[in-house]
């Protein structure tokens, strides 16, 4: 999240899209309820009428996978209205805090331009990738600007041109949402573009699990930037994480392309440490002609982060003369995808011989479960660490296979649940909160940290003994001095980091971390969480809100990265004098008498634009190299702007262009048959229910939850059920090109037929909480989902695919 849970109460307009917050985040939904009690309007955009929809002032039903068209139509509506009624919008924000005024390379071509046929300039059809040179600014160091927003190559005009194709009629045909409903949503949400209003967008996996999921989020960010909603109270783009520590796990480099703190992994194409730092760090760009004149650009400190990280890992061994042990790190192959889908493909092809599965269940939780289960059988060994025996642990004896035919050695490590161990969790709002151990784990189960420690100690002994082991010093030289008993509090200190010269804990990444080897830090995001001995700020529990006008920052409850800043980009919440755009919701404010900032921890430091000296007037978006919100992007794999593409499996041809699917999407070739609408005429989507969680291993082993929801079920609209002769409670067979499942039919008004390009289209809702392990057994919805992924993240397209439904 750019903001945080409590901040939802500050919004005047709330749009929930790709999420069912009322059901999946019921405690967080109370802040939405508070906002509505204050007069805020809630908009629910969803293929299904959910519990969130039931609370909304406006419900818009759309075909799943059409967010870019839906939001693109709203961007077009806002641009047109902004030109007619600029007084209704914060034009100072748009012109100076976004890249609307910046001039783009004249060679940039849009998908709707003559000859482009749905792709941007620079596309290589053989490589299925882009050369992004024409997406850059005309001047990449000091970009020119046109604050009048009239230059044909400025970002605002490129947006206007691109989204002019997104008419109400076209968007309605693509999404299945009637034109009058589109206009109602657009007008209502655009009202939060006024300086004294705020709007927030809440999303979850319904947004991201598409072959263009990243561009879905980009579309939201463009809209929010046009409306001046980024960095302000009640604004932002807020991902509602699906579990309590998803945020924390990604912060710690759960994703393959990152080191801790979202530092990029080294590549084999990096000639040396200097080349790696240059690639990873990039360069700042300072636009000319805006109200400010300095880009802070946070990765300018990248060398401090990476050197301090290497010092945390290798201690005294890491010195400037050996590049701080950079050469010990494994180097990913440039251009190779190491994501979940690609990994399962590699296992299926026999490339990978062994796999650790830690708190995950790919045999049921990933796409194309049949393919994943088949791939696991190609492994020589598999280690599964979990609370219960799950489908991955028991894949070798699943229904329909002969265990004797599977040669994979499976090793089970029983581990502790979250209340059986101590440590921190980071919630969706980046709040790092300490949890204490309540009870001991049962039997031989151990906390993950203790298991990892014992494994590492054994590994190091093996490497010390084997003098011929490749790159052995990468293991033997590690600073791993926890002993046989490791404590989470010590890990928190290591993440915070140390001033090694002073032999003290680091106080902040800005003030303490250095690139000369005199500081260590396991994750720069957590630097300042533990600033002195005995002061782990994640343990704070002061409920008093000390923020300006009591807007709900609660800055003394737990700790929030970075540096306890509760809202990212908060410098955008004030005008050039440092006064809030909205006086009734002050997030930060300049105290001219005492020459300091009040409120939240100011983003980027320094004085307000009109107060600061020439050359030190700081742009508000410090995580962007050009200091502004990037409505026009320059680095994503699949284009500088979101463009409509159809899902890999779709009931219609792309109405926007001849390019049917995202040209850069990841398409697996392992057991990944593609369905067509003649055989699979219905659109399917997956989601969760309240009573079960994830693949069900933590809930299907609890008898009382099984009593509430005992069986795998699927939701079918009354109109489709009537056509197929299906009654509520009937067993139905649902099939895709990858497999078939059985489910209990829930016949409901929540799904209804929609008109897509003049054709009646039915959508079906499928759960994925079941499998062949646990007390309650059933088919996983992921047997049906395709093995295709987003062009940037490779997150699977589980939220829209084709299926058939029959009475069993």
């Amino acid at each position: 999240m750019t903001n945080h849970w409590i901040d939802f109460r500050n919004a005047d307009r709330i749009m929930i899209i790709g999420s069912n917050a009322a059901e999946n985040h019921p405690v967080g939904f109370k802040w939405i309820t508070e906002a509505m009690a204050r007069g805020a309007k809630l908009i629910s955009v969803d293929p299904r009428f959910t519990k969130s929809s039931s609370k909304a002032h406006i419900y818009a039903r759309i075909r799943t996978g059409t967010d870019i068209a839906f939001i693109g139509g709203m961007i077009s509506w806002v641009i047109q209205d902004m030109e007619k009624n600029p007084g209704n919008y914060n034009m100072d924000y748009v012109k100076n805090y976004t890249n609307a005024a910046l001039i783009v390379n004249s060679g940039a071509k849009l998908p709707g331009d003559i000859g482009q046929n749905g792709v941007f300039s620079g596309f290589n059809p053989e490589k299925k990738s882009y050369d992004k040179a024409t997406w850059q600014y005309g001047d990449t160091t000091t970009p020119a600007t046109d604050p009048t927003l009239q230059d044909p190559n400025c970002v605002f005009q490129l947006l206007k041109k691109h989204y002019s194709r997104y008419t109400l009629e076209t968007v309605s045909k693509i999404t299945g949402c009637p034109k009058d409903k589109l206009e109602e949503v657009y007008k209502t949400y655009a009202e939060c573009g006024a300086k004294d209003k705020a709007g927030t967008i809440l999303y979850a996996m319904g947004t991201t699990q598409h072959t263009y999921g990243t561009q879905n989020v980009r579309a939201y960010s463009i809209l929010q930037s046009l409306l001046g909603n980024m960095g302000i109270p009640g604004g932002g783009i807020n991902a509602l994480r699906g579990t309590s520590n998803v945020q924390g796990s990604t912060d710690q480099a759960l994703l393959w392309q990152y080191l801790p703190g979202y530092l990029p992994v080294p590549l084999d194409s990096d000639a040396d440490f200097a080349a790696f730092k240059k690639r990873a760090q990039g360069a700042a760009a300072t636009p000319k002609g805006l109200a400010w004149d300095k880009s802070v650009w946070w990765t300018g400190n990248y060398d401090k982060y990476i050197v301090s990280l290497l010092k945390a890992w290798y201690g005294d061994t890491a010195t400037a003369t050996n590049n701080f042990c950079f050469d010990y790190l494994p180097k990913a192959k440039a251009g190779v995808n190491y994501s979940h889908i690609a990994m399962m493909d590699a296992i299926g092809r026999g490339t990978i011989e062994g796999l650790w599965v830690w708190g995950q269940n790919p045999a049921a939780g990933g796409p194309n479960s049949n393919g994943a289960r088949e791939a696991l059988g190609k492994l020589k060994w598999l280690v599964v660490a979990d609370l219960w025996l799950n489908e991955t642990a028991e894949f070798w004896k699943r229904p329909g296979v002969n265990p004797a035919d599977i040669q994979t050695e499976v090793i089970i490590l029983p581990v502790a649940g979250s209340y059986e161990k101590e440590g921190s969790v980071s919630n969706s709002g980046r709040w790092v909160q300490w949890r204490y151990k309540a009870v001991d784990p049962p039997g031989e189960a151990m906390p993950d940290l203790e298991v990892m420690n014992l494994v590492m100690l054994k590994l190091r002994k093996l490497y010390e003994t084997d003098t011929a082991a490749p790159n052995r010093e990468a293991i033997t030289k590690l600073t791993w001095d926890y002993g046989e008993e490791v404590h989470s509090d010590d890990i928190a200190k290591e993440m915070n980091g140390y001033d090694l010269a002073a032999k003290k804990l680091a106080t902040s990444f800005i003030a303490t971390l250095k690139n000369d080897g005199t500081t260590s830090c396991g994750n720069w995001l957590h630097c300042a969480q533990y600033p002195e001995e005995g002061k782990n700020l994640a343990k704070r529990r002061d409920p008093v809100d000390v923020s300006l006008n009591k807007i709900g920052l609660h800055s003394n409850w737990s700790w929030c990265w970075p540096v306890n800043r509760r809202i990212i980009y908060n410098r955008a919440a004030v005008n050039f004098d440092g006064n809030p755009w909205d006086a009734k919701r002050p997030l930060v404010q300049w105290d001219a008498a005492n020459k300091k900032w009040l409120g939240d921890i100011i983003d980027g430091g320094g004085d307000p634009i009109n107060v600061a000296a020439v050359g030190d007037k700081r742009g508000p978006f410090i995580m962007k190299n050009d200091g502004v919100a990037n409505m026009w992007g320059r680095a994503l794999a699949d284009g500088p702007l979101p463009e409509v593409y159809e899902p890999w499996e779709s009931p219609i041809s792309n109405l926007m262009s001849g390019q049917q699917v995202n040209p850069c999407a990841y398409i697996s070739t392992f057991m990944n048959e593609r369905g067509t609408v003649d055989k699979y005429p219905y659109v399917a989507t997956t989601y969760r229910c309240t009573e079960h969680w994830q693949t069900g291993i933590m809930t299907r082993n609890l008898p009382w939850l099984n009593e509430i929801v005992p069986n795998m079920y699927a939701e079918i609209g009354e109109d489709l059920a009537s056509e197929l002769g299906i009654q509520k409670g009937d067993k139905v067979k649902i099939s895709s090109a990858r497999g078939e499942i059985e489910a209990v039919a829930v016949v409901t008004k929540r799904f209804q037929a929609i008109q897509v390009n003049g054709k009646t289209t039915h959508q079906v809702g499928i759960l994925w909480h079941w499998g062949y392990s646990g007390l309650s057994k059933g088919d996983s919805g992921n047997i049906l989902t395709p093995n295709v992924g987003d062009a940037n993240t490779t997150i699977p397209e589980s939220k829209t695919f084709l299926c058939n439904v029959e009475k069993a």
Side-chain angles (χ1 to χ4, degrees), residues 103-355:
I103 308 299
V104 174
N105 187 307
S106 60
K109 302 295 182 186
L110 301 173
D113 288 347
I114 295 173
Q116 290 304 119
N117 197 29
V119 297
F120 295 90
S121 51
F123 183 65
N124 185 323
E126 293 182 2
K127 295 182 178 180
K128 296 184 178 180
S129 63
Y130 281 100
D131 178 340
K132 302 165 189 172
T134 59
W135 304 356
Q136 308 309 309
Y137 299 132
D139 181 337
T140 56
T141 305
T142 54
T145 63
D146 175 18
T148 70
L149 307 183
Q150 298 304 308
D151 189 294
N153 291 319
C154 79
V155 168
F156 185 83
Q157 289 298 324
L158 291 173
L159 284 173
K160 180 181 176 181
K161 182 180 180 182
H162 179 66
Y163 286 109
S164 66
R165 300 150 60 225
Y166 290 62
T167 63
L168 288 174
E169 182 177 3
T170 300
V171 171
S172 180
K173 286 181 179 180
I174 294 171
T175 64
C177 187
K179 287 190 290 185
D180 59 343
K181 182 63 68 174
L182 290 172
E183 196 152 24
E184 181 186 11
V185 172
Y186 296 173
K187 183 178 184 299
T188 302
Y189 192 77
E191 290 168 352
C192 69
K195 287 184 179 181
D196 62 346
K197 299 293 183 184
T200 189
I201 296 178
L202 314 182
Y203 74 92
M205 294 298 187
T207 290
T208 56
Q209 288 186 344
H210 298 277
T211 46
Y212 36 78
T214 301
Q215 293 287 9
N216 282 344
V217 180
R218 283 274 296 129
Y220 304 167
S221 73
I222 293 169
L223 177 63
Q224 289 291 76
S225 299
L226 278 173
L227 296 174
N229 280 327
M230 296 302 294
I232 70 171
I237 298 174
N238 296 299
L240 310 185
R241 302 296 202 175
T243 67
S244 59
N245 199 33
V246 170
Q247 184 66 55
S249 61
T250 54
D251 298 343
Q252 302 303 332
L254 180 77
L255 302 176
W256 66 268
Q257 65 268 46
Y258 294 122
L259 301 176
Y262 303 98
L263 307 181
V265 297
L267 301 177
D268 61 357
S269 57
D270 296 322
D272 50 30
F273 191 33
F276 165 67
K277 289 190 291 182
K278 182 178 179 180
R279 174 182 64 83
Q281 188 163 307
T286 302
K288 295 181 295 185
L290 300 184
W292 54 272
D293 59 13
K294 180 179 181 178
S295 295
V296 176
W297 189 213
W298 74 277
T299 61
N301 295 309
Y302 185 86
D303 57 345
K304 300 178 182 178
Y305 306 149
I306 185 62
V307 169
S308 296
L309 176 63
L310 290 169
K311 287 294 292 185
W313 286 351
Y314 288 103
D316 292 340
T317 304
T319 65
T321 56
N322 64 9
N323 287 326
F324 301 102
C325 297
F326 170 77
D327 292 332
Y328 288 161
L329 301 185
K331 311 299 188 292
K333 293 182 179 179
V336 174
N337 191 313
Y338 293 85
S339 68
H340 177 96
I341 296 178
M343 179 186 69
M344 297 309 295
D345 286 355
I347 293 171
R349 291 191 300 267
T351 305
I352 296 174
E353 295 184 351
L355 178 67

Side-chain angles (χ1 to χ4, degrees), residues 292-294 296 571 604-609 612-619:
W292 54 272
D293 59 13
K294 180 179 181 178
V296 176
R571 200 182 196 89
D607 298 343
I609 291 171
V614 173
D616 196 34
K617 299 175 183 292
R618 305 182 182 197

Side-chain angles (χ1 to χ4, degrees), residues 417-492:
S418 58
Y419 304 112
E420 298 163 351
K421 57 191 176 185
E422 182 177 359
S424 65
V425 294
S426 300
N427 73 7
S428 302
R430 298 167 288 105
W431 290 21
V432 185
Q433 301 180 86
W434 201 259
R435 281 185 177 177
Y436 296 91
K437 177 180 174 181
V439 294
D440 290 328
E444 294 181 290
M446 298 170 61
D448 308 70
L449 184 59
E450 293 181 24
V451 176
M452 292 177 189
N453 183 50
L454 294 176
V455 169
M456 186 60 209
L457 292 174
K458 181 65 175 178
L459 272 175
R460 188 159 64 180
K461 283 185 180 179
L462 291 171
Y463 272 92
E464 287 171 346
T465 304
D466 186 357
T467 57
N471 201 25
R472 62 191 291 269
E473 289 188 341
I475 301 298
T476 60
K477 298 295 186 181
L478 271 174
T479 300
W480 199 278
D481 51 7
Y482 310 113
E484 296 254 341
E485 290 189 20
V486 58
H487 301 285
S488 53
D489 198 66
D490 292 333
I491 305 300

Side-chain angles (χ1 to χ4, degrees), residues 576-639:
F576 310 149
D577 294 319
N579 296 318
W581 299 114
D582 180 6
K584 66 181 179 295
R585 282 173 287 209
L587 173 58
V588 291
Q589 185 165 8
W590 180 249
D591 179 351
N594 295 297
K595 297 183 179 180
K596 66 178 183 179
W597 289 100
L598 305 176
D600 199 11
I601 306 297
I602 191 69
D603 219 345
D607 298 343
I609 291 171
N610 284 348
V611 177
V614 173
D616 196 34
K617 299 175 183 292
R618 305 182 182 197
F621 286 81
I622 69 167
M623 294 172 73
K624 310 306 296 182
N625 81 318
D626 51 7
V628 286
N630 279 201
M631 297 190 292
W632 174 275
R634 294 157 289 143
L636 291 183
D638 49 353

